[in-house]
Amino acid sequence: MSVILVPQEPCIVLGGDFTEIHNGTVTFGKEDTNFVSKFGITNATDMVLDFKGRHNLPFIYDTYQLAHFLKISRKELFSITNNCNEMYQISQIPKKSGGFREISSPNGKLKNVQRIILENILQDIPISEFATAYHQGAKLEDNASPHIGKKYLLKLDLSDFFGHIRFDRVYSSAFNSNYFPKQIGAMLTTLCCLEDTLPQGAPTSPALSNIVMKNFDNNFGAWCKTHNLCYTRYCDDITVSGDTSLYSAFNKAKAWLENMEFEINESKTHFVSNANRMTVTGLTVNEKVNITSDYKRNLRQEIFYVLKYGFENAIIHENITDFIHDNVACTQSYYNHLIGKINYVLSVESGNAYFMKARDELRRFVEKG
């Protein structure tokens, strides 16, 4: 094993890490000078290799390395972490069920930092097999298909899901001392929180929610398996299915979730039997995974109005407030919205001729101007 210390040159970044380990050589950059000086070149190298042998995560010991990892100056690092709560824009968007959902959007500088954390740390921390949202390759069908053909279905919804995931739980789940020194873990947690909770609107929040929920997912999923039940979680939507009564599963989930300080939305708690239409995150699961007829009917109506009246008139005619800002219809956003919904249908029903044709017609409509 050879070691190279390069105090005057920028480090070579591989996979977001601050060191290069290649062909038995560890290369340190100038941002590592304090770390190497503190422990000595041999001990520093051993610490890096030991960590990398256990974790597929960046080795970050001090604030010099953290600032370099986040591609900002050390001064900026302290400025951002000390002023995170002032770096969000709060907005409200109407919910289909009524009321409003609060979205907290980080400004450009903080969002860039959060994306680095997401792509180089959070995506490499394991999550549960029962979590079916917010990870690479996740599909709605993965959340629905385990429940196909079951006799009974239980659906739970957690109120203000992100808002109930607090600083201490984020720290202990994602940035704890197994991965980072306490100061670095606390700073990373701060960069991902707003007023000590996960903000809905930060790019890191979905991935962090899966990491925080890992123990619950695994434990409750294992409990369900021993009782011949199926369990999946899609963000704040919890689904359990089986061929026997699900009340014991409801009581178990409720007790564990409340112990984690989550709140179950009682108005969205449903017990359903296969004598009725059974849906999981918008997909029917009575006999096979399919898009609900209501969803497709409403989408066909939206497409009809656009092709007959045009995007702007359709938005105004249907009073689609999500796409009206400052009394101006946002036609491009509405087009993207419709194409996304059509692609969603086709991802489940790939041979649906109507929606394949509708997608082409909308694209031609836009190209004609």
Side-chain angles (χ1 to χ4, degrees):
M1 170 62 66
S2 60
V3 179
I4 303 174
L5 175 62
V6 191
Q8 301 303 321
E9 298 178 7
C11 75
I12 303 170
V13 180
L14 294 180
D17 208 344
F18 83 100
T19 57
E20 180 189 10
I21 304 175
H22 182 65
N23 292 334
T25 299
V26 178
T27 304
F28 293 103
K30 64 180 180 180
E31 67 284 345
D32 308 317
T33 302
N34 280 6
F35 167 64
V36 174
S37 298
K38 179 175 181 178
F39 293 100
I41 194 72
T42 301
N43 287 336
T45 302
D46 290 341
M47 289 172 67
V48 172
L49 293 175
D50 175 68
F51 179 85
K52 298 299 287 186
R54 291 182 287 113
H55 305 295
N56 185 32
L57 295 171
F59 180 94
I60 305 173
Y61 180 82
D62 60 27
T63 56
Y64 294 93
Q65 295 166 346
L66 179 59
H68 177 81
F69 169 73
L70 297 174
K71 300 180 182 179
I72 55 178
S73 69
R74 192 162 173 263
K75 181 179 179 180
E76 287 177 306
L77 171 62
F78 286 109
S79 175
I80 294 173
T81 52
N82 289 332
N83 298 282
C84 275
N85 292 340
E86 286 74 52
M87 301 181 74
Y88 287 86
Q89 180 177 352
I90 312 299
S91 59
Q92 291 185 327
I93 60 174
K95 296 193 294 187
K96 291 181 180 180
S97 58
F100 293 87
R101 176 177 289 106
E102 186 173 278
I103 302 297
S104 304
S105 302
N107 66 16
K109 182 174 289 188
L110 179 56
K111 182 177 288 188
N112 288 338
V113 164
Q114 290 173 342
R115 289 198 182 281
I116 292 172
I117 294 172
L118 171 64
E119 294 168 5
N120 297 284
I121 295 178
L122 302 182
Q123 289 183 350
D124 291 318
I125 297 178
I127 61 173
S128 172
E129 63 179 292
F130 302 103
T132 59
Y134 305 141
H135 59 85
Q136 190 172 12
K139 298 181 293 184
L140 278 176
E141 300 97 290
D142 297 334
N143 191 56
S145 58
H147 307 288
I148 294 173
K150 298 298 190 294
K151 188 174 181 179
Y152 300 108
L153 189 72
L154 166 64
K155 298 195 292 185
L156 300 176
D157 177 88
L158 301 179
S159 300
D160 188 19
F161 179 54
F162 289 156
H164 282 82
I165 298 178
R166 307 193 182 281
F167 183 101
D168 58 341
R169 201 170 289 277
V170 174
Y171 171 81
S172 62
S173 300
F175 303 119
N176 60 72
S177 56
N178 288 324
Y179 301 141
F180 306 101
K182 289 183 178 180
Q183 180 191 20
I184 301 304
M187 294 180 82
L188 287 167
T189 306
T190 299
L191 291 167
C192 296
C193 287
L194 169 62
E195 302 291 350
D196 290 337
T197 64
L198 286 188
Q200 185 163 346
T204 44
S205 292
L208 281 168
S209 71
N210 278 342
I211 296 168
V212 167
M213 293 294 290
K214 180 185 176 184
N215 285 340
F216 169 82
D217 288 337
N218 286 342
N219 292 333
F220 185 62
W223 183 90
C224 286
K225 282 185 176 181
T226 63
H227 292 77
N228 296 316
L229 304 176
C230 294
Y231 161 68
T232 61
R233 182 182 58 80
Y234 192 93
C235 186
D236 55 357
D237 290 326
I238 289 173
T239 306
V240 184
S241 65
D243 296 321
T244 57
S245 173
L246 300 178
Y247 286 103
S248 60
F250 169 76
N251 290 330
K252 177 68 70 173
K254 187 173 187 290
W256 285 0
L257 289 166
E258 288 180 348
N259 187 55
M260 296 174 67
E261 300 183 344
F262 285 108
E263 294 180 8
I264 292 177
N265 188 337
E266 299 287 354
S267 66
K268 291 186 178 182
T269 296
H270 301 290
F271 290 89
V272 187
S273 76
N274 60 3
N276 303 291
R277 186 177 69 182
M278 303 170 73
T279 63
V280 177
T281 47
L283 301 175
T284 58
V285 295
N286 288 70
E287 297 179 356
K288 64 177 183 178
V289 173
N290 211 339
I291 307 290
T292 64
S293 57
D294 288 344
Y295 185 95
K296 290 183 286 189
R297 181 173 60 253
N298 292 334
L299 180 54
R300 283 195 294 267
Q301 185 178 48
E302 286 190 82
I303 294 168
F304 169 79
Y305 280 125
V306 167
L307 294 177
K308 183 173 182 178
Y309 300 112
F311 281 96
E312 184 173 354
N313 288 332
I315 292 170
I316 296 170
H317 182 272
E318 292 298 291
N319 192 31
I320 308 175
T321 57
D322 287 1
F323 299 96
I324 300 176
H325 299 288
D326 298 326
N327 295 319
V328 176
C330 303
T331 58
Q332 182 62 46
S333 295
Y334 187 48
Y335 166 75
N336 294 338
H337 169 76
L338 286 180
I339 293 297
K341 293 178 77 171
I342 291 172
N343 287 337
Y344 163 58
V345 173
L346 293 175
S347 71
V348 179
E349 302 177 17
S350 58
N352 192 307
Y354 171 84
F355 286 106
M356 292 173 67
K357 181 180 179 182
R359 182 173 60 183
D360 293 338
E361 288 180 348
L362 287 175
R363 286 172 176 169
R364 286 194 294 268
F365 192 90
V366 169
E367 290 171 359
K368 290 180 180 178

